[in-house]
Amino acid sequence: MTEPTTEQLALRAKTLLTSIGAELPTSGTLPARTPISGGTLAYVTVDTPASAEAAIDRAATAFESWRTVPAPARARLVRALAALLVEYKSELAELVTLEAGKIEAEALGEVQEMIDVCEFAIGLSRQLYGLTMASEREGHRLMETWHPLGVVGVISAFNFPVAVWAWNAAIALVCGDTVVWKPSETTPLTALACHTLMRRAAASVGVDPDVHQLVQGEVGPTLVDDPRIALLSATGSVRMGAIVAPKVAARFGRCLLELGGNNAAIVTPSADLDLAVRGIVFSAAGTAGQRCTSLRRLIVHRSIVDQVVDRLTVAYHQLPVGNPLDAGILVGPLINERAFVAMQEALVHATSDGGEVIVGGERVDSVDHDAYYVRPALVRMPEQTAIVRHETFAPTLYVLAYDTLKDAIALNNAVPQGLSSSIFTLNQREAETFIAESDCGIANVNIGTSGAEIGGAFGGEKETGGGRESGSDSWKTYMRRATNTINYSDQLPLAQGISFG
């Protein structure tokens, strides 16, 4: 495994930011660390509660005029952003690799997802439809209209440092909202790059750049508590959501939560195993198991479980682990030491519960001991124990056996999280039963749990938080609904036939 020095990586990050037009702070206290070497690329200036409040104030002021701009005209800003994302796709993707440790293909895919959601939002700007309903009163028209909501606060996580922001920002902006973004403290440079591109896009179409604000550092509580944040979209841990949700609710604000996922795939006797193995390996090992949709539980029919485990073992032994900047690497580093420790502790728990580590789990030798490369782990479990029901954000896949489809679906549902799920089967009855009975926000057939398209609503149930982002009618979260009654008669009949006076 080749290992560039932190100094080389830092110089590359500076070059990439400069090419995008971002100015790297000359001083700061927030370290922008790279998991590739474990070293620090730069230091970023952090916000204080006062400066974060000032950013919210700028966004609130900008909202008053932005809300009056027609939605198709607001889309001009998103179109300009999409054009810049296309122009700087490779540069932004490389920054994602440097800060989040994603391999090139996944980093490029994440930026493409940003471009795709911008295109979706541009089309959406002409489709913010309401309804016309039949009124029970003669000479009356009953309808609903949708209006901009206000300032949207976005708190994003390290594992998708740019795509999740784009999901929220692109939709919110065409809906007439302004945005205040607090990225993960782990990925401040990619956020700086995106904010720069947004400001460049605004300047190119004559839009007030204050419609988008960036705040860095530990100022999440400021966004949570400020009543000017009409909607808080927060991606992170269940623990974070449990703190955020009641605080926002206490001030009668709105929350969009994307929290934990402990995703399962069922493999039935009729499954195409060639297809299933490919889908399983990508879902479990992709992004080093650090996707909220990563596959963590594999539920296989008892008659084929040994065969599936054998095929996965061969595939896992062949997975190249190493520097994500190198060609041919499929699994990059864990984000930090804490992630590595959590994985090791989970494996200890699993074996103490009677599990057997079939392959993986060990750290790959590294010259720089601040970088954490691990081989994805495949663990055979006798039952779904507490550690299996707990989400560990690392490439660990637990394998369980089942006897009936009812048992398999029960195992799928018997965890606190409810994000993504899938079934591999060529039996239509099994597929349809699974779709009807999986309690997750995403239920797939003959595809893994990860790799959601932007056209569908993304999100999950239970401890996943219930939020929906991206496609379908998720835009309604970013707007407020008004029911309108128009009387075009010269009478004043009351509803329900009431007579008054």
Side-chain angles (χ1 to χ4, degrees):
M1 179 172 64
T2 62
E3 293 207 17
T5 66
T6 298
E7 291 73 17
Q8 291 170 325
L9 296 173
L11 179 60
R12 184 57 183 161
K14 182 177 181 180
T15 301
L16 291 168
L17 286 167
T18 300
S19 69
I20 288 171
E23 292 186 9
L24 192 63
T26 56
S27 63
T29 57
L30 177 63
R33 179 185 170 278
T34 175
I36 296 174
S37 69
T40 299
L41 301 172
Y43 287 90
V44 176
T45 303
V46 297
D47 280 274
T48 63
S51 66
E53 288 175 3
I56 296 170
D57 188 62
R58 290 191 295 271
T61 300
F63 172 71
E64 294 306 316
S65 56
W66 183 242
R67 67 187 297 180
T68 66
V69 177
R74 295 194 292 255
R76 292 170 57 234
L77 171 58
V78 179
R79 186 178 293 110
L81 174 63
L84 289 172
L85 292 174
V86 170
E87 182 178 352
Y88 293 102
K89 181 177 179 178
S90 61
E91 290 86 351
L92 187 53
E94 192 172 344
L95 277 172
V96 170
T97 295
L98 290 176
E99 277 201 305
K102 290 190 175 183
I103 62 173
E104 180 184 29
E106 289 188 299
L108 287 168
E110 180 168 354
V111 181
Q112 184 60 49
E113 193 167 319
M114 301 171 75
I115 297 165
D116 292 344
V117 80
C118 284
E119 292 177 350
F120 179 88
I122 292 164
L124 179 65
S125 69
R126 295 181 181 272
Q127 300 179 76
L128 302 175
Y129 299 142
L131 298 174
T132 299
M133 290 79 78
S135 174
E136 66 186 52
R137 290 172 285 185
E138 185 177 344
H140 285 60
R141 179 157 62 92
L142 185 63
M143 66 179 188
E144 68 178 22
T145 51
W146 292 86
H147 305 274
L149 183 62
V151 181
V152 173
V154 179
I155 298 176
S156 59
F158 80 88
N159 58 331
F160 279 87
V162 294
V164 171
W165 163 74
W167 287 1
N168 286 274
I171 303 296
L173 287 168
V174 299
C175 287
D177 304 323
T178 55
V179 176
V180 179
W181 179 26
K182 193 211 82 65
S184 167
E185 290 96 298
T186 309
T187 55
L189 299 184
T190 51
L192 183 61
C194 289
H195 182 59
T196 298
L197 292 177
M198 178 66 82
R199 293 185 73 85
R200 286 181 57 182
S204 71
V205 293
V207 169
D208 181 358
D210 282 347
V211 299
H212 187 270
Q213 302 289 322
L214 173 67
V215 292
Q216 301 264 30
E218 297 180 1
V219 289
T222 303
L223 274 64
V224 170
D225 295 334
D226 198 307
R228 293 170 296 180
I229 299 292
L231 168 67
L232 184 70
S233 176
T235 302
S237 67
V238 173
R239 177 179 173 275
M240 179 271 289
I243 295 170
V244 166
K247 289 188 174 183
V248 175
R251 60 174 179 81
F252 296 98
R254 293 191 194 178
C255 257
L256 193 169
L257 297 176
E258 297 288 357
L259 309 175
N262 192 352
N263 314 294
I266 296 169
V267 184
T268 73
S270 72
D272 178 339
L273 292 188
D274 290 335
L275 179 73
V277 168
R278 291 198 301 273
I280 291 164
V281 173
F282 172 71
S283 293
T287 323
Q290 296 172 118
R291 293 184 178 216
C292 51
T293 54
S294 289
L295 180 61
R296 311 208 182 279
R297 296 176 296 135
L298 186 62
I299 304 166
V300 188
H301 192 271
R302 199 172 302 278
S303 65
I304 59 170
V305 66
D306 291 337
Q307 182 183 357
V308 170
V309 167
D310 288 345
R311 295 182 68 156
L312 288 173
T313 301
V314 172
Y316 268 49
H317 276 300
Q318 296 172 347
L319 284 173
V321 179
N323 176 9
L325 294 169
D326 287 350
I329 293 297
L330 294 180
V331 181
L334 291 176
I335 192 66
N336 54 29
E337 180 183 14
R338 185 170 56 187
F340 173 74
V341 170
M343 180 179 181
Q344 300 308 304
E345 291 176 346
L347 292 175
V348 170
H349 278 290
T351 54
S352 68
D353 288 341
E356 178 189 2
V357 178
I358 304 299
V359 61
E362 72 274 15
R363 187 176 178 185
V364 177
D365 287 341
S366 172
V367 174
D368 192 327
H369 292 285
D370 289 328
Y372 292 87
Y373 296 86
V374 296
R375 297 198 183 280
L378 186 66
V379 185
R380 188 84 175 260
M381 295 297 296
E383 59 181 330
Q384 189 157 264
T385 61
I387 193 60
V388 180
R389 291 192 295 271
H390 172 78
E391 180 191 30
T392 301
F393 220 61
T396 300
L397 180 61
Y398 301 108
V399 182
L400 302 157
Y402 79 91
D403 294 305
T404 69
L405 183 62
K406 181 179 179 180
D407 294 337
I409 294 174
L411 284 170
N412 175 79
N413 295 348
V415 294
Q417 311 85 356
L419 179 52
S420 187
S421 59
S422 70
I423 188 170
F424 289 92
T425 180
L426 298 182
N427 183 309
Q428 184 178 4
R429 182 173 293 171
E430 289 179 333
E432 296 291 345
T433 300
F434 172 76
I435 289 174
E437 296 185 9
S438 170
D439 66 1
C440 297
I442 299 170
N444 297 330
V445 176
N446 292 327
I447 191 171
T449 56
S450 62
E453 297 183 33
I454 59 95
F458 180 89
E461 301 302 320
K462 301 187 293 188
E463 286 188 0
T464 302
R468 293 298 186 274
E469 295 173 307
S470 191
S472 186
D473 63 351
S474 300
W475 62 270
K476 292 180 179 179
T477 305
Y478 301 83
M479 303 195 81
R480 61 176 180 84
R481 185 199 316 245
T483 301
N484 314 123
T485 304
I486 299 170
N487 180 3
Y488 57 90
S489 73
D490 59 359
Q491 302 297 314
L492 192 64
L494 301 179
Q496 292 84 45
I498 293 173
S499 177
F500 186 78

